[in-house]
């Protein structure tokens, strides 16, 4: 095996090592049942909100109140939420018009917290689909850890274009530490005590941040409060960007452009090394078949083995973060998609904004 082969093997092994820290939300016991407020920011979520509200009605730990903050939707979001009031202790709140210096989600949640009365606050995105024990386990983890506890939902895919998000799901989790006290937060599902939320400054302290979860985590840590994060496989899922390929591109673009600078560089360096091996594997087999430029061994057998090894690894790693099937066999496609969105994110950093749900969102 030449130096190229050794280098690719090391990068392949690094992928397995990075995946060792993918920590699932533990199933814990509650010492007591706190008064729990569930806060759901919703802007044009008529298609997704019913799934979440139905799931909340079946939770083993029932909330004191569920507050849907209708962020000036132009669809039937508010009407759908109000229709569920018979099965849940639910209120619909519409905040004042968006104030300068605020993002829509932080503005909505700030007003939702002000209207709530629970001692424990749970923030759930409108497109999440929790299993019956989610609130129980999330609050149990909060009892054990304190501070801010969050979960990254399992990515449920339905249409072919959604398979292209494979690398974004993996990189987003492999590039950060996870587990108790990791210092990372995921916005789709978060829990905190009201006392710790107030101590951190809450969403008012991160009013202008697109990736408010990352910056809220920083606020907690500056106040000496722990921040813990887990993966939600088997406990909470969501279908990201069901509105089509354009929504998927813009959604990942805005998160990529604003969150990249927040990743810890030792983790990012390890992920970049792994990605470089993946990119090589995506190139080597077509190059060997078609006579394109290629360093090292040009044997079809060797390059087929490299390609197959990375496809097998992607299948093994992705099972814990999302529902990805045939795309792992054609992984050069999500590699190209990942690179294209990365370039677009860099361009939007220069422009300073992207458009999302009818609003211009700053990427700076």
């Amino acid at each position: 095996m030449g130096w190229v082969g050794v280098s690719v093997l090391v990068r392949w092994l690094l992928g397995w090592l990075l995946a060792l820290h993918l920590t699932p939300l533990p199933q814990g016991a509650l010492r007591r049942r706190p008064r729990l407020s569930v806060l759901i920011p919703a802007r044009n979520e008529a298609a997704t909100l019913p799934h979440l509200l139905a799931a909340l009605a079946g939770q083993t730990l029932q909330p004191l109140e569920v507050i849907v903050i209708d962020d000036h939707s132009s669809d039937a979001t508010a009407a759908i939420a109000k229709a569920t009031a018979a099965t849940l202790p639910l209120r619909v709140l519409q905040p004042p018009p968006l104030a300068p210096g605020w993002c829509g989600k932080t503005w909505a949640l700030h007003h939702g917290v002000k209207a709530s009365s629970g001692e424990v606050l749970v923030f759930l995105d409108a497109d999440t689909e929790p299993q019956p024990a989610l609130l129980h386990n999330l609050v149990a983890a909060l009892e054990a850890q304190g501070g801010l506890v969050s979960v990254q939902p399992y990515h449920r895919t339905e249409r072919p274009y959604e398979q292209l998000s494979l690398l974004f799901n993996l990189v987003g989790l492999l590039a950060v530490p996870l587990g108790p006290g990791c210092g990372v937060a995921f916005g789709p599902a978060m829990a905190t005590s009201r006392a710790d939320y107030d101590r951190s400054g809450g969403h008012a302290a991160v009013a202008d941040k697109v990736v408010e979860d990352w910056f809220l985590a920083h606020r907690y840590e500056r106040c000496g409060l722990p921040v813990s994060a887990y993966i939600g496989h088997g406990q909470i899922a969501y279908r990201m960007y069901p509105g089509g390929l354009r929504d998927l591109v813009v959604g990942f673009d805005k998160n990529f452009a604003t969150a990249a600078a927040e990743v810890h560089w030792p983790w990012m360096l390890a992920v970049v090394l792994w990605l470089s091996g993946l990119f090589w594997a995506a190139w080597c087999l077509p190059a060997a078949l078609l006579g394109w430029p290629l360093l090292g061994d040009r044997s079809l057998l060797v390059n087929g083995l490299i390609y197959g090894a990375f496809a097998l690894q992607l299948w093994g790693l992705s099972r814990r973060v999302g529902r990805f099937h045939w795309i792992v066999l054609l992984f050069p496609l999500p590699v190209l998609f990942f690179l294209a969105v990365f370039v677009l994110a860099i361009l939007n950093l220069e422009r300073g904004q992207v458009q999302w749900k009818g609003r211009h969102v700053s990427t700076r």
Side-chain angles (χ1 to χ4, degrees):
M1 183 182 292
W3 67 270
V4 172
V6 171
S7 175
V8 172
L9 176 61
V10 169
R11 286 162 167 76
W12 182 77
L13 292 172
L14 185 58
W16 293 113
L17 289 173
L18 284 167
L20 291 177
H21 77 288
L22 295 179
T23 309
L25 178 66
Q27 299 182 22
L30 282 172
R31 292 191 295 269
R32 66 184 188 89
R33 290 180 171 259
R35 293 181 297 109
L36 176 63
S37 295
V38 175
L39 301 147
I40 305 167
R43 179 174 171 84
N44 296 334
E45 297 286 358
T48 59
L49 188 59
H51 303 294
L52 171 57
L53 297 180
L56 288 176
Q59 290 294 301
T60 57
L61 174 63
Q62 280 294 302
L64 168 73
E65 59 185 356
V66 176
I67 301 178
V68 175
I69 308 102
D70 174 32
D71 185 13
H72 304 279
S73 299
S74 57
D75 64 4
T77 293
I80 286 172
K82 290 175 182 176
T84 317
T87 57
L88 281 171
L90 184 142
R91 285 186 288 152
V92 178
L93 169 72
Q94 188 172 78
L98 185 63
W102 287 76
C103 290
K105 185 175 181 180
T106 54
W107 181 248
L109 287 174
H110 171 70
H111 285 277
V113 171
K114 287 172 63 176
S116 68
S117 58
E119 61 184 304
V120 171
L121 308 172
V122 171
F123 306 104
L124 292 176
D125 281 2
D127 58 356
T128 55
E129 301 164 6
Q131 291 298 304
L134 184 277
L135 290 183
H136 176 103
N137 291 331
L138 190 57
V139 175
L142 179 64
E143 278 189 344
Q145 304 296 333
L148 182 67
V149 176
S150 67
V151 185
Q152 177 66 5
Y154 180 85
H155 186 179
R156 184 175 62 81
T157 61
E158 291 186 6
R159 296 171 62 187
Y161 76 87
E162 295 173 84
Q163 299 279 311
L164 292 172
S165 65
L166 168 65
L167 281 186
F168 288 98
N169 285 268
L170 274 179
V171 170
L173 289 170
L174 296 181
V176 296
L178 295 174
C182 64
V184 171
F186 298 118
M190 301 194 301
T192 182
S193 70
R194 181 180 296 273
D196 286 349
Y197 178 87
D198 291 340
R199 181 176 167 188
S200 74
H203 287 93
V206 295
D208 62 340
K209 305 302 183 185
V210 177
V211 283
E212 83 296 334
D213 44 5
W214 290 73
F215 290 95
L216 192 60
H218 294 336
R219 292 290 306 182
Y220 272 70
E221 288 194 306
R222 290 192 193 106
C223 295
L225 298 168
V227 178
S228 307
Y230 302 91
I231 62 171
H233 185 204
Q235 300 204 52
I236 184 170
Y238 61 0
R239 186 180 171 209
M240 298 181 72
Y241 313 122
L245 181 61
R246 184 182 181 280
D247 279 0
L248 187 145
V249 170
V250 175
F252 280 121
D253 175 29
K254 72 180 175 66
N255 292 333
F256 207 156
T258 52
E262 294 301 306
V263 176
H264 300 297
W265 281 107
W267 288 92
M268 181 53 75
L269 177 60
V271 171
V272 167
L273 287 172
W274 172 70
L275 280 173
S276 67
L278 182 68
F279 294 169
W280 175 268
W283 174 263
C284 70
L285 185 58
L289 283 168
L290 301 173
W292 296 343
L294 181 64
L295 290 174
D297 196 325
R298 300 192 65 87
S299 163
L300 281 177
L301 175 61
V302 170
N303 290 292
L305 287 173
I306 292 172
Y307 187 98
F310 274 93
L312 177 64
Q313 184 178 66
L314 285 174
W315 176 80
L317 299 183
S318 65
R319 291 176 65 198
R320 302 182 65 189
V321 303
R323 191 168 69 191
F324 300 99
H325 307 301
W326 52 268
I327 200 70
V328 299
L329 297 176
L330 302 174
F331 66 85
L333 295 178
V335 164
L336 290 173
F337 181 74
F338 181 87
L339 291 172
V341 175
F342 177 80
V343 171
L344 183 62
I346 297 300
L347 293 175
N348 281 323
L349 273 176
E350 292 299 317
R351 297 190 190 106
Q353 66 178 14
V354 295
Q355 188 167 354
W356 179 248
K357 291 192 176 182
R359 287 174 173 153
H360 291 286
V361 177
S362 173
T363 58
R364 292 178 179 171

